[in-house]
Amino acid sequence: MRKRIAILGSTGSIGTQTLEVIAQNPEHFEVEVLTANNNIGLLIEQAKLFQPNVVVITNSCHYDQLKDALKDDPIKVYGGREAIQQVVQMDTIDLVVTAMVGYSGLIPTCNAIKAGKHIALANKETMVVAGEIINQLALEHKVNIYPVDSEHSAIFQCLVGEFNNEVEKIYLTASGGPFRGFSMEQLANVTKADALKHPNWDMGAKITIDSASLMNKGFEVIEAKWLFGLKPEQIDVIVHPQSIVHSIVQFRDGSMKAQMGLPDMKLPIQYALNFPERLPSSFKRFSFLDYPKLTFEQPNTKNFRNLALAFEALNQGGNMPCILNAANEVVVQAFLNDKISFLQMPEIIEQTMGKATYIKKPALEDYIQSDKEVRILTAAMVKNLAKQKI
């Protein structure tokens, strides 16, 4: 039987590449649910092509247009955030790909797990905000979480067959982004256009900015702690500009395993969709002769403060990673809207971490309230800075 897939965030970078993988393997997968936030045109295209059972548009303003466009197709159409939270529980879904951006993926992921759906996790913020709760739910409902991020997929692949062997340390690799090697003076003058030019990966705007600031790597550190049951001191980050070694596991005997390949997100997506079987693919193959030198260096956490802030949030625990995430989402949007500078992002995040209400042992409702509080607090700081500019 073909595996029935729900894709939350089908019009984003991960969502569209997931559909490419499904299209290349029609005997293995079929699309059951597609959801999008605002990109109504692409969602209609995808629905027409893949004929899912259900489509959902989060922004209800587009509901009538979507309904009208699909009136001749045997597709159920829904609108609104609550609709996504409900459709993930459908009996006809085998696997949910969580490719929504940011905090918005948390509640749908929780609901899918409670309904017993296995998760292909591309929404790292879910684990950053509430990793402990997600792990508890997955254990309680006997749900597997398959990481889609290239780095976490690499760790996962290195651990296959090694689950009884103790991990000493993992190394998450980072390209370093478009500003690797920049001084503080240079970083003070970078623009939104500069930050959106990632050297190796094609991603959405939010994650591209996070990669440029190294916040994305900080989130991956926190996510790795929950996915693989690690302590903060067991997680390290190394800059690897070529993006060929996707991450490394070091075992207690000192041996190391690395997962390598060209930077193509379709490979970890396909691995997550069909684990444990590896499907044949037409992906471009890596050649060592094309990359005679693979280099590694330490990240500069002084110039790229976000990575250090993520480690601080991880060490403090409680709702601090949730505070970090909410503040980051606000400042990234402000940067994209030309309201603050690149270097003001970590400054505001650090201030927010010092002012927001800290909860040592939060419940799900505490995370929801923290997210609301922090967004208001951070937005006020952004507004004050904007006034000072005027």
Side-chain angles (χ1 to χ4, degrees):
M1 291 180 63
R2 293 190 297 172
K3 192 176 291 185
R4 297 163 296 185
I5 311 295
I7 306 174
L8 310 186
S10 66
T11 59
S13 176
I14 295 296
T16 54
Q17 291 180 85
T18 300
L19 286 172
E20 288 180 44
V21 171
I22 290 173
Q24 292 166 7
N25 297 277
E27 70 280 14
H28 291 279
F29 311 114
E30 62 180 298
V31 178
E32 183 66 14
V33 175
L34 294 175
T35 84
N37 187 29
N38 273 309
N39 196 338
I40 184 71
L42 182 53
L43 182 61
I44 291 169
E45 265 183 56
Q46 293 173 342
K48 290 280 188 183
L49 179 61
F50 288 93
Q51 293 290 299
N53 184 7
V54 171
V55 295
V56 182
I57 185 73
T58 307
N59 187 341
S60 297
C61 295
H62 301 305
Y63 172 77
D64 289 338
Q65 181 184 349
L66 182 62
K67 183 79 172 175
D68 184 64
L70 301 178
K71 64 179 184 294
D72 296 326
D73 296 279
I75 301 172
K76 302 178 186 70
V77 179
Y78 302 107
R81 195 169 301 281
E82 288 187 3
I84 295 179
Q85 297 171 13
Q86 293 168 8
V87 298
V88 294
Q89 303 174 65
M90 290 166 45
D91 291 339
T92 50
I93 295 172
D94 298 312
L95 179 75
V96 177
V97 178
T98 60
M100 299 170 74
V101 176
Y103 173 84
S104 62
L106 175 60
I107 302 302
T109 303
C110 287
N111 286 3
I113 293 173
K114 289 175 183 177
K117 310 302 177 188
H118 298 302
I119 306 294
L121 186 70
N123 174 251
K124 63 176 62 65
E125 290 86 352
T126 291
M127 299 301 281
V128 170
V129 170
E132 187 170 12
I133 286 176
I134 295 297
N135 280 353
Q136 289 170 351
L137 286 174
L139 187 63
E140 179 183 345
H141 296 279
K142 298 180 173 60
V143 162
N144 293 327
I145 298 178
Y146 304 112
V148 169
D149 273 344
S150 61
E151 294 82 1
H152 299 96
S153 177
I155 299 297
F156 182 53
Q157 292 181 56
C158 289
L159 289 175
V160 171
E162 301 277 6
F163 292 107
N164 292 323
N165 289 320
E166 185 179 326
V167 172
E168 188 170 271
K169 198 168 192 177
I170 68 167
Y171 295 87
L172 299 174
T173 56
S175 70
F179 307 136
R180 182 176 66 90
F182 273 36
S183 67
M184 292 291 280
E185 291 73 22
Q186 289 173 302
L187 290 174
N189 296 311
V190 300
T191 66
K192 171 178 66 178
D194 297 329
L196 288 171
K197 296 175 184 176
H198 195 281
N200 298 329
W201 298 94
D202 180 17
M203 305 174 291
K206 196 265 182 184
I207 192 173
T208 304
I209 299 301
D210 283 346
S211 295
S213 73
L214 290 194
M215 181 59 88
N216 188 56
K217 203 55 50 180
F219 285 162
E220 288 175 5
V221 167
I222 299 171
E223 183 182 9
K225 180 243 190 305
W226 296 114
L227 284 175
F228 306 113
L230 300 170
K231 298 175 183 176
E233 59 268 23
Q234 290 179 287
I235 308 169
D236 205 351
V237 173
I238 50 174
V239 174
H240 169 50
Q242 297 82 18
S243 295
I244 296 301
V245 176
H246 298 304
S247 279
I248 304 163
V249 176
Q250 180 175 304
F251 296 95
R252 63 179 177 179
D253 62 355
S255 63
M256 305 174 84
K257 289 172 72 172
Q259 191 267 334
M260 303 172 64
L262 293 171
D264 185 344
M265 280 306 301
K266 291 191 290 295
L267 197 154
I269 289 169
Q270 181 169 293
Y271 188 77
L273 292 186
N274 209 58
F275 180 82
E277 181 186 354
R278 291 185 185 270
L279 295 174
S281 79
S282 58
F283 306 149
K284 187 178 178 182
R285 268 40 178 181
F286 166 75
S287 169
F288 280 99
L289 298 181
D290 294 333
Y291 293 84
K293 289 185 179 180
L294 299 178
T295 61
F296 304 90
E297 60 194 62
Q298 283 290 325
N300 185 339
T301 55
K302 181 180 177 182
N303 289 8
F304 295 89
R305 178 76 179 133
N306 279 345
L307 181 56
L309 292 176
F311 271 103
E312 288 178 21
L314 176 59
N315 282 303
Q316 192 164 349
N319 68 329
M320 192 55 69
C322 176
I323 293 169
L324 176 84
N325 177 73
N328 181 69
E329 289 193 17
V330 173
V331 299
V332 167
Q333 193 57 53
F335 176 68
L336 288 170
N337 292 336
D338 300 312
K339 292 182 178 179
I340 60 175
S341 70
F342 186 81
L343 287 179
Q344 283 175 323
M345 289 194 291
E347 289 177 9
I348 295 172
I349 292 169
E350 187 166 16
Q351 289 176 38
T352 305
M353 289 171 67
K355 292 181 179 181
T357 304
Y358 174 68
I359 303 170
K360 188 173 183 179
K361 294 186 177 180
L364 182 59
E365 185 59 35
D366 294 319
Y367 289 123
I368 295 170
Q369 291 305 315
S370 286
D371 182 79
K372 291 178 181 176
E373 176 201 348
V374 171
R375 287 175 191 276
I376 293 170
L377 185 62
T378 311
M381 292 185 193
V382 169
K383 191 174 181 180
N384 287 336
L385 279 175
K387 283 182 180 178
Q388 292 172 19
K389 284 174 68 176
I390 296 171

